[in-house]
């Protein structure tokens, strides 16, 4: 029992950021797959992406590292992952914008955010069209 | 001259801005600009391919930074094939199928072409993620079209699944970076064995990269977005995506598995190879079963793609030079055939007023050229000589016999038989069924199918016929194509 506790403790102390990243990715994916509400699905996707971003930024860390400015002497934290994630955040924001625009269109047509209800309505429309 | 590799991506990317700016106020002007950019893009692609032919691969580092931190571009024999395919399809599909001139829509089209070209020429794994998402974003918006809720729902599903896939790929890139400290493909190739192929980090990176790209390829079981998106999308968009979308992701998979992880990785981690093989084989069988169950042409074609990409992954997993050549040929074969078939499906839907396959009964005489072309394209999907599909399967079969991989041989055989079943069904309905006009269709009590011929049908007919001719020409020239990409494949193995 105490061994398990100390293992968890060491995980959280030494690898806390990785635990958070794994939780974010897991929770985000779960919400994306499991939730019926389209807006919450988009939020789940964002959580999932943010978890991955956190993993990248964490990888740049080094003990006693400082911000990579030429004016301050090293050792620096690695600037490259930060640059990558700035790009990835822009991509993520764009994807979210497109997703929400589509959700708005669906909500305007069906008056609901529930995926199941929209699918049902769409299937019913299709049947009418084919009859 | 190496700057042309940069122009290849920059031209459609910067060109995409113009139609957005002109917007709905001057859609005709936007159309002129789009056509000009697409034609120029084809010209640059052909020149680049010619340069590769005479002087070997082109390399370029954006901004003149050292390749380790900059973004490298690389056009070798293999990328040149796909660059020409992307540029040609983008221009031809726009010229022959694009319906209405809308500024923003044309901007998205150019953005899609830019993203797909970028995936083909980048030599940096993170940059590959960015281009995947650029082409993905453009694709989601194009599928959604300007109105319609069925389209919006299909596009949203495509977006959620596609972005999740791209993010998993990004996670794989993160693991690669953490283990090696570099993102350039050429450096990774050297750095990975130093880390050790069997290290958990590298194996996890491989898993994430393959699963992420597998979503973009629509491999079973992450294929569900594809039939919905391709059936709901406007016809011109469906054609360009069915031709290029997953094909380019397939190219990226080949490039990453052999150019970055290398065949030694597959030898060192047999589980990875087995997983690839199993995924491909299951994809062929389940994809084939689902294809046979479809009643609508466009959905059937989408499921057929799932089978075809299963075959491609089986080729990749077989890991000999013949198998890789076969996988590349299958990618090209599926692209050309699916483009033509989706265009034909669009024409049938518009003329007959229904997406169902049964409505095609006895229409072979009504659409003589299109029906013949459809039969030829299907023959390529089945793998009948002299089509390029046959060439691809032939190479994979040879590889299977060489390595005594009887599972692979069985999968090739199964895919051929299943393909023959669904392709035969469509061709049979077209040519041998009694005319459905008096019987089945009217018996539904539905609206009489409109059989008016539309202006512009000759364009679709030309595209479908062109695709059919291309499958045969590429089939006859397949040994030349194999010899063309041989330098790249030989270096990999």
């Amino acid at each position: 029992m105490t061994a398990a506790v100390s293992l968890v403790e060491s995980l959280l102390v030494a690898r806390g950021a990785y635990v958070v990243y794994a939780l974010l990715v897991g929770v985000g994916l779960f919400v994306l797959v499991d939730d019926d509400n389209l807006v919450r699905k988009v939020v789940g996707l964002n959580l999932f992406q943010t978890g991955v971003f956190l993993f990248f930024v964490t990888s740049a860390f080094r003990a006693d590292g400082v911000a990579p400015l030429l004016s301050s002497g090293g050792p620096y934290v690695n600037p490259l992952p930060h640059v990558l994630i700035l790009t990835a955040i822009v991509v993520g924001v764009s994807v979210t914008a497109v997703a929400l625009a589509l959700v708005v269109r669906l909500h305007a047509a069906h008056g609901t955010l529930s995926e199941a209800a929209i699918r049902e309505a769409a299937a019913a429309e299709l049947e009418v069209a084919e009859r | 001259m190496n700057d042309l590799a940069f122009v290849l991506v920059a031209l459609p990317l910067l060109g995409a801005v113009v139609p957005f700016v002109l917007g709905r106020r001057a859609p005709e002007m936007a159309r002129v600009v789009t056509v000009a950019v697409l034609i120029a893009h084809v010209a640059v692609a052909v020149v680049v391919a010619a340069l590769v032919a005479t002087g070997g691969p082109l390399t370029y580092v954006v901004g003149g930074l050292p390749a380790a931190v900059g973004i490298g571009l690389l056009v070798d024999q293999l990328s040149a094939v796909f660059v020409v395919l992307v540029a040609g399809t983008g221009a031809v599909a726009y010229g022959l199928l694009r319906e209405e001139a809308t500024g923003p829509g044309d901007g998205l089209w150019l953005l899609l072409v830019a993203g797909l070209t970028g995936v083909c020429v980048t030599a940096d794994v993170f940059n590959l993620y960015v281009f995947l998402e650029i082409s993905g974003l453009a694709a989601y918006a194009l599928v959604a079209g300007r109105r319609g809720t069925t389209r919006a729902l299909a596009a949203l599903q495509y977006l959620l699944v596609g972005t999740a896939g791209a993010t998993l790929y990004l996670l794989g890139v993160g693991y690669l970076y953490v283990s090696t400290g570099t993102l350039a493909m050429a450096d990774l190739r050297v750095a990975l064995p130093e880390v050790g192929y069997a290290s958990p980090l590298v194996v996890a990176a491989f898993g994430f990269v393959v699963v992420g790209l597998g979503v973009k390829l629509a491999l079973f079981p992450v294929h569900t977005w594809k039939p919905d998106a391709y059936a709901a999308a406007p016809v011109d968009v469906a054609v360009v995506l069915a031709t290029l979308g997953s094909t380019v992701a397939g190219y990226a998979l080949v490039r990453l598995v052999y150019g970055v992880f290398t065949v030694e990785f597959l030898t060192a981690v047999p589980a990875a190879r087995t997983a690839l093989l199993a995924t491909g084989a299951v994809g062929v069988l389940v994809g084939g079963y689902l294809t046979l169950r479809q009643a609508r042409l466009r959905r059937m074609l989408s499921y057929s793609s799932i089978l075809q990409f299963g075959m491609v992954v089986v080729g990749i997993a077989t890991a000999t030079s013949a198998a890789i050549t076969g996988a590349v040929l299958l990618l090209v074969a599926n692209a050309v055939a699916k483009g033509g078939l989706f265009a034909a499906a669009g024409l049938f839907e518009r003329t007959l007023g229904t997406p169902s396959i049964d409505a095609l009964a006895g229409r072979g005489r009504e659409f003589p050229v299109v029906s013949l072309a459809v039969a030829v394209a299907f023959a390529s999907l089945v793998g009948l000589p002299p089509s390029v599909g046959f060439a691809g399967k032939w190479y994979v079969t040879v590889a299977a016999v060489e390595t005594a991989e009887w599972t692979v041989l069985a999968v090739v055989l199964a895919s051929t038989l299943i393909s023959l079943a669904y392709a035969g069904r469509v061709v049979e309905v077209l040519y041998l069924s009694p005319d459905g006009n008096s019987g089945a269709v009217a018996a539904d009590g539905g609206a009489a199918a409109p059989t008016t011929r539309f202006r512009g049908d000759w364009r679709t007919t030309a595209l479908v016929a062109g695709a059919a001719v291309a499958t045969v020409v590429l089939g006859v020239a397949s040994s030349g194509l194999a010899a063309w990409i041989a330098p790249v494949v030989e270096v990999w193995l």
Side-chain angles (χ1 to χ4, degrees), chain B residues 315-480:
Chain B
I316 292 173
T318 312
T320 71
S321 61
I324 300 171
T325 307
V328 171
L329 285 175
L330 283 172
L331 281 174
V332 173
N334 181 62
V336 175
K338 284 282 155 51
L341 286 169
F342 266 92
L347 179 68
F348 290 146
E349 268 173 47
R350 211 170 45 168
T351 315
L352 307 175
T354 165
S356 91
I357 296 174
D358 292 337
L360 299 176
R363 301 281 179 169
R365 262 163 300 144
E366 213 169 310
F367 305 98
V369 179
V370 173
S371 301
L372 185 63
V374 164
V376 172
F378 269 126
S380 179
L381 290 181
V382 174
L384 303 177
S387 65
V388 63
F390 164 75
K393 280 193 172 165
W394 174 256
Y395 278 102
V396 176
T397 309
V398 166
V401 173
E402 276 175 354
T403 53
E405 287 274 5
W406 307 120
T407 355
V408 175
L409 200 60
V411 170
V412 174
L413 197 63
S415 84
T416 305
L417 292 175
I418 297 170
S419 304
L420 196 57
Y422 69 72
R425 183 176 141 215
V426 176
V427 175
E428 184 189 15
V429 167
L430 266 178
Y431 280 108
L432 302 177
S433 292
D435 197 336
N437 235 1
S438 49
V441 176
D444 289 348
T451 49
T452 39
R453 308 308 301 269
F454 290 84
R455 273 186 319 134
D457 276 2
W458 67 268
R459 290 182 177 169
T460 310
T461 308
L463 189 136
V464 182
V469 170
T471 57
V472 177
V473 170
L474 286 169
V476 173
S478 61
S479 53

Side-chain angles (χ1 to χ4, degrees), chain A residues 3-118:
Chain A
V5 170
S6 66
L7 177 75
V8 170
E9 203 177 341
S10 71
L11 248 185
L12 284 176
V13 171
R15 298 274 183 273
Y18 291 119
V19 173
V20 176
Y21 129 73
L23 280 175
L24 276 174
V25 166
V27 170
L29 267 181
F30 180 77
V31 172
L32 173 64
V33 172
D34 183 67
D35 210 299
D36 183 50
N37 181 310
L38 290 174
V39 172
R40 281 210 285 263
K41 268 185 189 290
V42 177
V43 172
L45 185 68
N46 268 299
L47 276 179
F48 170 47
Q49 286 189 301
T50 308
V52 176
F53 298 167
L54 179 68
F55 168 75
F56 263 89
V57 172
T58 307
S59 74
F61 176 80
R62 58 176 296 177
D64 310 322
V66 293
L69 300 167
L70 286 176
S71 52
S72 58
Y76 305 121
V77 294
N78 186 349
L80 191 62
H82 294 86
V83 179
L84 300 180
I85 291 314
L86 278 177
T87 312
I89 287 171
V90 173
V91 170
V93 168
S94 319
V95 169
T96 308
V98 174
L100 291 176
L102 292 171
V103 172
V104 166
R105 190 199 284 185
L106 287 167
H107 187 265
H110 293 285
T112 170
L113 288 173
S114 151
E115 192 196 2
I118 291 174

